[in-house]
Amino acid sequence: MTAVTDHATRQETAASTSSVPPAIELRGISKAFGPVQANKNISITVQRGTIHGIVGENGAGKSTLMSILYGFYKADAGEVFINGKRTDIPDSLAAIRAGIGMVFQHFKLVENFTVLENVILGAEDSALLGPSRRRARGVLKQLASDFELEVDPDALIEELSVGHQQRVEILKALYREADILILDEPTGVLTPSEADHLFRILRGLKEQGKTIILITHKLREIMDVTDAVSVMRRGEMVATRETAKTSPTELAELMVGRKVLLRVEKTKAQSGDEVLRVEDLRLVDAQGVERLRKIGFSLRAGEILGIAGVAGNGQSELLEVLAGLREAEGRVWLRGNPLPLSGPECNGQARRAMRIAHVPEDRHRRGLVLPFHAWENTALGYHNDPRYNPSPWRMDGAAMVADTAAKMERFDVRPPNPQLPAEGFSGGNQQKIVLAREIEYGPDLLLVGQPTRGVDIGAIEFIHQRLIELRDAGAAILLVSVELDEILSLSDRILVMFDGRIMGERMADATDAKELGLLMAGMTET
Amino acid sequence: MNGKPIPKWADVTLVPLVSVVLAFIISAILIWAIGESPWAAVKMMVDGAFGSSYGWGYTLYYATNFMFTGLAVAVAFQARLFNIGGEGQAALGGLGVALVVLYLPWPHWTLALLGASVGAALFGALWALIPGYLQAKRGSHIVITTIMFNFIAASFLNYMLVNHLRPQGSQDPSSPRFPDATSLPKLHEILGLFGIPFSKVPPVNISLLIAVALCFAVWWMLWRTRLGYQIRAFGESEPAAQYAGISPARITIIVMLISGGLAGMMALNNVMGEQERLVLNAVEGAGFIGIAVALMGRNHPFGVFLAAILFGFLYQGGAELALWTGIPRELIVVIQALVILFTGALDNMVRIPIAKLFSLRRAG
């Protein structure tokens, strides 16, 4: 008997009974980590054969809740019902047995195994792999034709695009006969067209009677694809709505607990002199792969230039080269002065001396020293500032603390405690600490990477306003983001990067997500 | 969601304390198993190390050595560099002291101490510079190179003693005795100035005060100066340090110079203070004990100070034990090893249950 026929029979029985029990019912789930209450008395019902969205800010408790459902955490209190039957899920094996499959944000695939090997890993039928492999090949073929889930079963994972790797994760779950599929932020790494394909797959699965839980913070996706949506805030389930009867504005307000602006309010850019000029920028990495291919553009004062693109197409490298963290070939001028791209003068200190500030893409790795106090982080990169160094033998800790406290107040960092280590702040507040440090030195050029990644909606609004203010004060801003909405709403001008090249340039008010999406996928201009 | 599981005070006091107690309990079982009385052994050790000014003198003499080498390891580790070469750097520091003291005329011990400090620090630092440079510019792993340099140092010292420093006609591979004018004041002389009586036998000398001052100086350097800020930032996150424009190569080299200099200065205590001549294998493993001292002291200068005294106690108390009881010398090494094992390697075995207890208390 194959997995597919088994599914078919189950679906028939599901369809024939009129009063179907809900696929998942959670009652009164609570979970605390030390003093932090991650989930507070959460109850949720997910109907069979629907796509159910769960939205909420970072740290709202979505992932904790799903980890409980998948057996990674044990709830302190509460009950789980699967298909109307009370079920204990002590580990992920039990979750799989109960028909639950999970697609994680960071894929759990063996890179140098083939698709087929990854699918059967942990679900082998016998010590010899031959029979499982043959069976899996048949099942994959069937699933591919049923759900548009085409992947070459003999391809190595490392050769596949991110979108295809995600399909493998879904196939793994379906191969294990999952009836309930949980996807955690599935579109974060996808191009718009890949995301659309994913949603077609999810709709197909729904029609076959599968139940899908979609965790995301993108309201557009919720509106597009879900049947119902639950909103979480600070560990509590604040509302469940039918998607057809709600709006993005209402959901955003429920998530944050107050009114939010979804569009950034800004005036037309008053662009001035050219600040940055880049010509023939080329970067070859240690593996000999060309990461930047003849990049050229210019950026004026009082202008935000957005760089759109799917992650990994050279945007990160571009930022690091301009920030002096990587050596490259080419010609770059800042206000007419050549910028060294290699050698001892190519470093973060020299760039800061030229009034280039940098909000790095990865604030945990680069932007902050996580175990350092907030006040120590405020000096990171500016530790040579004479205000902090009254003598070569002593740094003025008190001055640094006072400076940090003032910055925290101006940037509404919570809690406003300079003595707290950076790792003790939420993502949004960490980002505000970095932003305060970089903006308040009054840079001519600000390089910003993923300013709102992992940042909650309330803080996103604040950060966007600060960037616009800096622009209006006459700074040039180079913005790299994988969030197309962010690029569209912040930028004055947009460049799209694909495979280390600039695919095209658009004015922000004369383009849309669809056009940019095509460029991001490498479709050349026609 | 990942809050600090243990309060800081418990991390720096409770965890090492419980570790040491566990090590002592297992040691007691071992002593009991070979038919000796653990209680008598503990009494003997404590009496031998702390019961008299004679015992204290030896305990502090050993502790001085361990402060120098412990600080050396701790400073390097703040930059996440694992300097295992304290042994070799201290040996070269001895050579520096011997050359300075023997070949320059010194009218008074204060000047000699100054000169010898420079010589010891310089030789130790230069010996650490080579692995530091190789790590910074060539990516040769510092753990491997510093270990190798211990062997090279031992051979080099052997060569220097046998072929250059040995007085003519002597069969002993050691330098001539240092001039009397360079003899460092012993602790009993210093305390005598204040009218405090102290045993004249133990070799503890003025370099103890230098070691204690260095503990403070290293703390100041790490937490109160820009250099220390850069070292710690580099140690906690190299990408963040690079982002801030802190040169990893520069910090690596500076830190290794400081670390090697500190290890080299141990020679003030054992070579200049005690032996008053340079002998083969003068370091006697203190460079390696420094690793354990730094581990136990959480790479903090004040922690190193306390851990050095604990290990001084283990050395002196252990020596007494071997001298006066039937407990073999090897078992004392086992006890020392257990302390190192528990405080260093098995740290999490103690930390995790303590963290659980704390979270239980908070929840309850």
Side-chain angles (χ1 to χ4, degrees):
Chain A
M1 184 176 70
T2 70
V4 177
T5 51
D6 187 36
H7 284 160
T9 44
R10 268 199 243 166
Q11 280 141 19
E12 274 161 39
T13 47
S16 60
T17 35
S18 52
S19 64
V20 196
I24 297 174
E25 191 181 354
L26 303 180
R27 282 188 205 158
I29 297 280
S30 290
K31 172 78 187 169
F33 297 96
V36 183
Q37 191 76 31
N39 284 166
K40 273 178 250 175
N41 192 23
I42 289 191
S43 298
I44 179 176
T45 304
V46 177
Q47 296 301 336
R48 272 207 109 166
T50 63
I51 300 181
H52 195 111
I54 297 184
V55 289
E57 297 187 312
N58 286 294
K62 299 168 293 191
S63 296
T64 306
L65 188 64
M66 289 306 118
S67 299
I68 289 169
L69 190 53
Y70 201 61
F72 278 175
Y73 295 140
K74 197 180 157 357
D76 300 336
E79 294 172 315
V80 177
F81 294 82
I82 307 287
N83 296 324
K85 217 171 84 221
R86 193 167 171 229
T87 314
D88 272 325
I89 305 178
D91 52 35
S92 50
L93 222 59
I96 292 167
R97 237 179 280 125
I100 301 174
M102 183 128 174
V103 176
F104 292 92
Q105 198 173 354
H106 302 285
F107 305 145
K108 305 202 181 307
L109 296 169
V110 184
E111 294 262 310
N112 53 354
F113 271 22
T114 64
V115 171
L116 206 59
E117 286 167 329
N118 267 287
V119 167
I120 60 174
L121 183 65
E124 309 91 346
D125 298 321
S126 59
L128 286 176
L129 291 181
S132 329
R133 220 184 281 228
R134 273 191 294 282
R135 183 167 84 86
R137 199 178 285 279
V139 175
L140 287 191
K141 211 168 162 192
Q142 185 67 42
L143 289 171
S145 63
D146 286 357
F147 303 116
E148 279 193 74
L149 276 164
E150 297 89 358
V151 190
D152 174 8
D154 298 312
L156 290 177
I157 294 298
E158 57 198 1
E159 292 166 355
L160 295 180
S161 72
V162 180
H164 280 78
Q165 291 186 11
Q166 191 174 53
R167 278 183 217 169
V168 178
E169 283 284 11
I170 298 175
L171 286 170
K172 266 168 65 180
L174 295 178
Y175 184 73
R176 285 160 181 73
E177 306 183 8
D179 255 345
I180 300 162
L181 206 57
I182 306 170
L183 295 105
D184 190 0
E185 299 281 358
T187 59
V189 288
L190 302 182
T191 61
S193 66
E194 281 176 321
D196 286 343
H197 188 120
L198 172 68
F199 292 149
R200 277 206 304 282
I201 294 171
L202 296 185
R203 285 196 199 96
L205 289 168
K206 178 179 89 168
E207 275 157 29
Q208 298 290 317
K210 307 265 184 209
T211 309
I212 292 158
I213 297 183
L214 180 68
I215 302 171
T216 181
H217 65 271
K218 295 181 186 167
L219 297 176
R220 192 167 50 79
E221 293 170 2
I222 291 287
M223 300 309 293
D224 278 359
V225 77
T226 64
D227 300 299
V229 50
S230 298
V231 184
M232 289 186 74
R233 183 171 77 225
R234 290 184 191 167
E236 287 177 270
M237 190 63 79
V238 289
T240 296
R241 295 273 189 277
E242 265 182 66
T243 309
K245 292 180 184 163
T246 185
S247 68
T249 326
E250 186 195 19
L251 290 177
E253 281 171 27
L254 284 168
M255 277 163 72
V256 187
R258 63 183 169 83
K259 287 206 178 298
V260 282
L261 288 169
L262 282 181
R263 291 293 295 193
V264 186
E265 280 182 11
K266 65 169 200 234
T267 52
K268 205 164 160 45
Q270 304 291 319
S271 52
D273 299 338
E274 183 178 71
V275 172
L276 181 71
R277 176 163 201 83
V278 177
E279 278 180 15
D280 287 336
L281 194 61
R282 185 166 176 268
L283 174 74
V284 180
D285 71 8
Q287 281 79 42
V289 180
E290 208 175 357
R291 293 290 180 183
L292 296 176
R293 304 169 194 249
K294 293 215 162 211
I295 297 282
F297 62 89
S298 104
L299 172 57
R300 294 179 172 280
E303 180 186 41
I304 298 182
L305 177 63
I307 306 238
V310 179
N313 277 293
Q315 310 97 305
S316 312
E317 287 80 3
L318 176 63
L319 273 188
E320 292 190 350
V321 165
L322 293 176
L325 304 178
R326 266 182 112 134
E327 303 199 334
E329 305 155 30
R331 293 185 302 279
V332 178
W333 292 268
L334 187 84
R335 291 200 178 285
N337 303 313
L339 208 63
L341 295 179
S342 59
E345 282 309 300
C346 172
N347 65 59
Q349 280 297 311
R351 290 295 203 270
R352 281 178 183 83
M354 296 182 81
R355 307 186 69 80
I356 298 177
H358 179 202
V359 177
E361 289 188 302
D362 190 340
R363 63 176 165 271
H364 288 163
R365 236 168 62 85
R366 277 213 194 274
L368 296 164
V369 180
L370 289 177
F372 270 22
H373 302 290
W375 62 268
E376 287 173 302
N377 272 299
T378 299
L380 188 69
Y382 300 95
H383 48 273
N384 292 321
D385 187 331
R387 285 185 302 149
Y388 300 149
N389 291 281
S391 97
W393 306 102
R394 189 172 75 90
M395 272 189 119
D396 191 346
M400 290 153 81
V401 171
D403 191 29
T404 307
K407 282 181 176 148
M408 285 179 139
E409 181 166 348
R410 285 194 290 273
F411 276 75
D412 188 30
V413 176
R414 276 174 279 180
N417 176 5
Q419 300 291 351
L420 204 64
E423 59 203 347
F425 291 91
S426 73
N429 286 302
Q430 289 175 343
Q431 188 70 320
K432 284 182 188 173
I433 292 174
V434 176
L435 212 63
R437 179 181 73 207
E438 301 301 321
I439 286 184
E440 294 229 334
Y441 272 89
D444 285 348
L445 170 64
L446 180 68
L447 309 167
V448 200
Q450 319 298 349
T452 55
R453 178 186 278 168
V455 166
D456 45 59
I457 283 197
I460 288 177
E461 201 187 345
F462 182 88
I463 289 168
H464 283 175
Q465 276 164 4
R466 281 303 159 113
L467 291 175
I468 298 284
E469 277 169 32
L470 185 68
R471 179 200 77 165
D472 292 342
I477 298 178
L478 185 71
L479 166 73
V480 166
S481 174
V482 293
E483 299 286 345
L484 212 44
D485 290 341
E486 179 165 80
I487 292 278
L488 276 167
S489 60
L490 273 184
S491 317
D492 302 305
R493 204 149 51 87
I494 298 168
L495 298 176
V496 181
M497 280 187 76
F498 174 75
D499 197 21
R501 275 192 196 87
I502 290 182
M503 296 300 293
E505 178 181 332
R506 295 285 183 275
M507 295 309 288
D509 47 18
T511 186
D512 56 23
K514 198 168 159 235
E515 187 186 24
L516 294 178
L518 284 174
L519 290 171
M520 280 163 69
M523 314 284 176
T524 41
E525 300 177 63
T526 47
Chain B
M1 254 167 256
N2 233 331
K4 283 250 151 143
I6 310 186
K8 195 159 182 200
W9 67 266
D11 188 48
V12 293
T13 57
L14 203 58
V15 174
L17 211 66
V18 172
S19 302
V20 169
V21 167
L22 281 176
F24 281 154
I25 290 174
I26 295 187
S27 307
I29 293 171
L30 280 176
I31 292 170
W32 173 76
I34 61 167
E36 297 279 339
S37 153
W39 181 240
V42 169
K43 210 166 154 318
M44 173 74 70
M45 277 185 87
V46 174
D47 262 0
F50 297 128
S52 61
S53 70
Y54 170 88
W56 266 106
Y58 270 99
T59 301
L60 290 176
Y61 167 74
Y62 293 123
T64 307
N65 283 341
F66 303 149
M67 278 180 218
F68 283 115
T69 54
L71 281 178
V73 177
V75 163
F77 199 77
Q78 287 292 342
R80 295 298 179 273
L81 293 167
F82 209 169
N83 178 11
I84 313 216
E87 192 78 8
Q89 290 144 18
L92 262 288
L95 183 62
V97 166
L99 294 178
V100 165
V101 170
L102 286 172
Y103 293 103
L104 295 174
W106 296 104
H108 192 262
W109 66 265
T110 45
L111 295 172
L113 178 59
L114 215 65
S117 299
V118 172
L122 197 69
F123 271 61
L126 290 178
W127 200 247
L129 172 67
I130 307 167
Y133 175 85
L134 290 173
Q135 163 86 59
K137 301 284 183 186
R138 292 275 171 271
S140 318
H141 203 286
I142 202 129
V143 169
I144 311 288
T145 46
T146 49
I147 289 177
M148 307 272 230
F149 267 65
N150 286 336
F151 292 99
I152 304 175
S155 309
F156 180 57
L157 209 64
N158 200 340
Y159 162 80
M160 287 300 286
L161 284 172
V162 170
N163 294 301
H164 295 286
L165 292 175
R166 180 171 53 98
Q168 265 189 342
S170 164
Q171 298 287 316
D172 184 19
S174 65
S175 78
R177 268 192 71 81
F178 296 164
D180 283 344
T182 64
S183 178
L184 294 180
K186 299 275 186 286
L187 191 61
H188 72 86
E189 295 170 54
I190 299 166
L191 290 175
L193 295 177
F194 304 97
I196 304 167
F198 199 83
S199 168
K200 290 182 181 161
V201 184
V204 60
N205 58 74
I206 192 161
S207 45
L208 167 67
L209 303 184
I210 296 178
V212 173
L214 279 176
C215 286
F216 180 78
V218 166
W219 170 79
W220 182 274
M221 187 275 289
L222 283 172
W223 275 280
R224 288 291 180 273
T225 69
R226 182 166 34 167
L227 176 64
Y229 177 88
Q230 295 177 339
I231 291 173
R232 288 183 300 119
F234 171 69
E236 295 289 1
S237 168
E238 186 174 339
Q242 196 213 359
Y243 159 79
I246 298 166
S247 158
R250 184 170 159 267
I251 294 294
T252 301
I253 288 175
I254 291 178
V255 164
M256 284 309 287
L257 283 173
I258 296 174
S259 177
L262 287 166
M265 285 179 80
M266 185 193 119
L268 296 180
N269 189 41
N270 66 335
V271 176
M272 195 173 179
E274 195 214 355
Q275 312 263 351
E276 303 197 338
R277 58 182 186 141
L278 185 60
V279 298
L280 264 184
N281 193 24
V283 186
E284 289 183 310
F288 293 116
I289 298 292
I291 299 169
V293 168
L295 266 174
M296 189 171 176
R298 295 273 171 281
N299 299 301
H300 191 290
F302 300 157
V304 165
F305 172 79
L306 293 175
I309 290 178
L310 173 78
F311 276 86
F313 154 72
L314 286 176
Y315 256 60
Q316 169 57 13
E320 292 286 314
L321 211 54
L323 198 59
W324 301 110
T325 67
I327 298 172
R329 174 90 190 109
E330 285 69 29
L331 196 71
I332 289 138
V333 178
V334 168
I335 295 174
Q336 289 163 356
L338 280 169
V339 171
I340 296 175
L341 190 68
F342 273 85
T343 56
L346 299 180
D347 192 52
N348 272 339
M349 194 178 82
V350 173
R351 183 184 307 268
I352 291 170
I354 288 183
K356 276 204 181 124
L357 280 177
F358 269 102
S359 67
L360 272 183
R361 206 186 60 169
R362 252 188 240 124

